[in-house]
Amino acid sequence: MKREKILIIDFGGQYNQLVARRVRECNVYCEIYSYKTDLEKIRDMKPKGIILTGGPNSCYEEGAAACDPALFELGVPVLGLCYGAQLMMHTLGGHVGKAPVREYGKIEVTTDRSSKLFTNVSEKTVCWMSHNDYIETAAPGFQIIAHTPDCPVAAAQCEERQLYAIQFHPEVLHTQEGTKMLSNFVYEICGCAGDWKMDAFVENSIRSIRERVGKGRVLCALSGGVDSSVAAVMMAKAVGDQLTCVFVDHGLLRKNEGDEVEEVFGPNGPYKLNFIRVNVQERFYEKLKGVEEPEQKRKIIGEEFIRVFEEEAKKIGTVDFLVQGTIYPDVVESGLGGESAVIKSHHNVGGLPDYVDFKEILEPLRDLFKDEVRRAGLELGIPEKLVCRQPFPGPGLGIRIVGEVTAEKVRMVQDADAIYREEIAKAGLDKSIGQYFAALTNMRSVGVMGDERTYDYAVALRAVNTIDFMTAETAEIPFDVLVKVMNRVINEVEGVNRVFYDLTSKPPGTIEFE
Ligand code: GLN
């Protein structure tokens, strides 16, 4: 089936994945590509429309990110957002320069409601701005369709050529009617039908997996996390008992998690999967001995994972396909999708080490954002409790222990984390906080307990709110809850004598603590 598609051309802006998510919320499929992508390739994808994102450059400067001017001649509607808007104007003969007044934050914009872009949008509407440059004069043939007191061209259009430019960020939720504007672009201007629906996605995926796999044998790496669980159930529905799920207990899971995974996916669970649990805790600790650098830890854990699978695969006989729960943000963050820098390697994306002898990799969730994975999971009939689980990274506690990983430290962080989660749930906060966990810092310091000197580790508590896991803000946990957790952790977890609460947002931090 040919899916209609919007292309998002990435100029390195920080909200780019949000643009994609908003478009998909309109039931229109979209993909992110770097601005360096060849025009030929863009044309061949036959997009219904193109969105140019924001970006850090100034388009008039030497070496600034640019696009082929012929992009505007494809006959495909183009919407430029912020940098994208400036670039469109600059390329087509308008003038962009340093703004006498920079705009940052919520600004009231006056719109021309006769523009298709602003159909059903209020005349005065609050928008999110973040720019140092501005469009001084729109390109010839363009009509100004929005302004603010400091920004003469907050939006412009050339209707005949289907070109639209917006200085603000409709993708950010602070832009009150932003989703409406993006929806107007994809429906009113690009003429999309809106065929990106989760039930259809699940059904089509199951069908195409079945075709691709044929009679082949499939091995699935099950971690018990949301992504691999959804991938496993989808595969099970597609190929039944040709599928074997291998669950590696690498000793870096949350407290009791190994048993919980086995309960759900094991022989006594509802899914009747071919399920193999491999207990290789010691083997992983051995490999991680003396390793402190987080990227190296991720690599070691990832590679060891693959080796364990390989060994299991050999026991099963021929294995043709390996399933991985890669999701779209992994693809983009690994630098394969858009323009964003490689922030950290995801052991489940892209190239495998050459010693792996599986025929092919299947990544049934590669196109989905996290919230879409959850919706697919519900569509597949997986219980909500499982589907809405706290996210947990593949390398597990290996990257929630700063510095060297040891069995002893794993125990500390597991116990502290279990206490933290328990208290958060007791306080009724478990549904409202995006993600929360305990990490073990590599810091030891002096304390006193029962009149005795201690020299123990410090636990860091982390809690963030995020919709999309690309940006995050620290959650405001009531102080009494934090104090309670601190008390319990220090009393109950041997080896810990201090507890910190991490206030850092993302950016500049990451959600994990490694
Ligand atoms: N760098 C450009 C400016 O400062 C565009 C910013 C953006 O895309 N958010 O105006």
Side-chain angles (χ1 to χ4, degrees):
M1 194 200 68
K2 189 87 193 72
R3 225 191 253 158
E4 65 183 13
K5 191 193 289 188
I6 296 282
L7 293 189
I8 294 171
I9 307 292
D10 185 349
F11 289 93
Q14 52 174 328
Y15 309 124
N16 296 350
Q17 292 208 22
L18 274 184
V19 180
R21 289 191 57 243
R22 296 281 169 266
V23 170
R24 289 181 183 204
E25 275 164 20
C26 300
N27 297 322
V28 173
Y29 183 72
C30 59
E31 282 173 355
I32 304 174
Y33 288 93
S34 161
Y35 70 92
K36 294 176 189 132
T37 309
D38 277 349
L39 190 66
E40 277 313 300
K41 187 171 168 197
I42 292 175
R43 184 183 300 143
D44 288 349
M45 287 190 270
K46 300 200 170 52
K48 296 284 282 184
I50 296 172
I51 298 178
L52 312 180
T53 73
N57 295 156
S58 286
C59 61
Y60 48 82
E61 268 168 9
E62 187 81 32
C67 63
D68 191 327
L71 183 87
F72 301 111
E73 315 298 333
L74 290 176
V76 175
V78 182
L79 171 65
L81 304 179
C82 203
Y83 184 78
Q86 297 166 355
L87 182 68
M88 181 190 288
M89 292 301 115
H90 177 77
T91 309
L92 299 176
H95 196 262
V96 176
K98 182 136 263 32
V101 183
R102 296 194 310 194
E103 287 179 304
Y104 189 82
K106 293 180 188 172
I107 314 263
E108 191 180 78
V109 173
T110 308
T111 63
D112 176 350
R113 302 170 70 210
S114 68
S115 164
K116 280 187 191 160
L117 203 53
F118 297 133
T119 306
N120 293 323
V121 169
S122 323
E123 193 192 346
K124 304 249 180 228
T125 184
V126 172
C127 299
W128 180 258
M129 293 275 195
S130 167
H131 63 124
N132 301 315
D133 295 332
Y134 80 135
I135 302 164
E136 245 174 274
T137 41
F142 277 77
Q143 166 201 356
I144 294 169
I145 52 169
H147 65 271
T148 74
D150 291 315
C151 183
V153 189
Q157 69 177 21
C158 178
E159 222 180 346
E160 312 88 88
R161 296 165 74 189
Q162 305 188 85
L163 302 179
Y164 297 80
I166 302 184
Q167 177 60 73
F168 51 88
H169 290 276
E171 69 276 23
V172 173
L173 285 176
H174 299 302
T175 297
Q176 275 164 8
E177 298 177 279
T179 303
K180 210 179 278 174
M181 298 170 197
L182 289 172
S183 161
N184 284 341
F185 178 68
V186 297
Y187 286 108
E188 307 301 323
I189 296 166
C190 302
C192 290
D195 63 3
W196 177 243
K197 303 232 170 75
M198 221 19 88
D199 51 349
F201 171 81
V202 166
E203 211 177 284
N204 290 331
S205 302
I206 290 177
R207 197 177 324 121
S208 72
I209 291 166
R210 220 172 259 156
E211 270 167 30
R212 192 157 156 210
V213 169
K215 298 216 172 323
R217 290 209 59 102
V218 185
L219 181 64
C220 178
L222 191 60
S223 72
V226 178
D227 304 339
S228 70
S229 302
V230 172
V233 173
M234 188 183 273
M235 292 306 303
K237 298 227 161 155
V239 300
D241 61 8
Q242 284 161 262
L243 170 73
T244 301
C245 287
V246 172
F247 166 51
V248 178
D249 191 337
H250 52 17
L252 303 167
L253 296 165
R254 287 170 284 204
K255 193 172 181 175
N256 299 331
E257 194 164 34
D259 297 341
E260 282 165 24
V261 170
E262 186 166 349
E263 255 163 51
V264 177
F265 293 103
N268 303 321
Y271 297 112
K272 311 270 174 291
L273 308 177
N274 294 320
F275 176 86
I276 299 172
R277 176 172 176 177
V278 214
N279 288 310
V280 278
Q281 295 88 341
E282 290 308 322
R283 177 167 161 178
F284 275 77
Y285 298 153
E286 196 54 44
K287 282 274 163 193
L288 288 167
K289 207 175 239 165
V291 182
E292 299 200 337
E293 210 280 311
E295 271 300 284
Q296 209 185 337
K297 286 197 272 184
R298 283 175 180 266
K299 292 224 162 73
I300 290 171
I301 297 167
E303 269 168 35
E304 207 53 22
F305 241 93
I306 303 269
R307 283 205 188 125
V308 175
F309 285 130
E310 202 182 28
E311 289 165 22
E312 290 309 311
K314 288 214 177 88
K315 286 185 211 157
I316 298 164
T318 1
V319 168
D320 305 291
F321 299 90
L322 178 69
V323 180
Q324 294 199 314
T326 315
I327 68 172
Y328 198 53
D330 300 338
V331 175
V332 177
E333 270 202 35
S334 294
L336 299 177
E339 194 42 41
S340 16
V342 179
I343 297 163
K344 51 193 169 192
S345 61
H346 285 265
H347 70 275
N348 52 356
V349 177
L352 288 169
D354 3 321
Y355 54 79
V356 179
D357 53 6
F358 303 100
K359 199 162 82 189
E360 263 178 76
I361 289 266
L362 291 176
E363 296 175 311
L365 311 177
R366 198 185 160 87
D367 289 340
L368 304 187
F369 283 105
K370 194 82 186 184
D371 48 336
E372 293 175 316
V373 172
R374 295 207 161 102
R375 278 195 282 136
L378 293 175
E379 205 59 57
L380 284 160
I382 306 177
E384 193 176 337
K385 192 179 117 225
L386 260 181
V387 166
C388 296
R389 245 170 158 206
Q390 279 281 299
F392 190 62
L397 299 179
I399 57 162
R400 287 183 182 172
I401 292 171
V402 180
E404 189 190 14
V405 175
T406 63
E408 186 59 10
K409 285 183 176 173
V410 169
R411 180 202 43 87
M412 288 184 218
V413 74
Q414 275 180 339
D415 288 348
D417 184 64
I419 291 169
Y420 187 31
R421 280 188 288 142
E422 204 180 301
E423 291 301 327
I424 291 282
K426 259 197 232 157
L429 298 168
D430 52 331
K431 292 263 167 358
S432 56
I433 303 175
Q435 193 176 348
Y436 51 95
F437 59 85
L440 191 69
T441 72
N442 206 14
M443 187 199 91
R444 289 173 77 194
S445 63
V446 173
V448 55
M449 277 172 93
D451 283 347
E452 223 177 291
R453 179 187 189 270
T454 56
Y455 184 57
D456 285 336
Y457 283 100
V459 158
L461 305 176
R462 182 112 175 97
V464 296
N465 284 321
T466 173
I467 304 175
D468 47 39
F469 297 93
M470 295 311 299
T471 60
E473 278 170 6
T474 305
E476 279 185 43
I477 298 184
F479 198 65
D480 57 327
V481 178
L482 289 174
V483 170
K484 181 93 188 284
V485 177
M486 177 274 293
N487 264 320
R488 282 196 59 196
V489 168
I490 291 177
N491 289 340
E492 296 172 36
V493 186
E494 202 175 319
V496 175
N497 69 352
R498 232 171 248 269
V499 174
F500 295 123
Y501 186 60
D502 182 2
L503 290 175
T504 321
S505 59
K506 170 184 180 177
T510 62
I511 292 175
E512 287 301 332
F513 192 110
E514 60 185 309

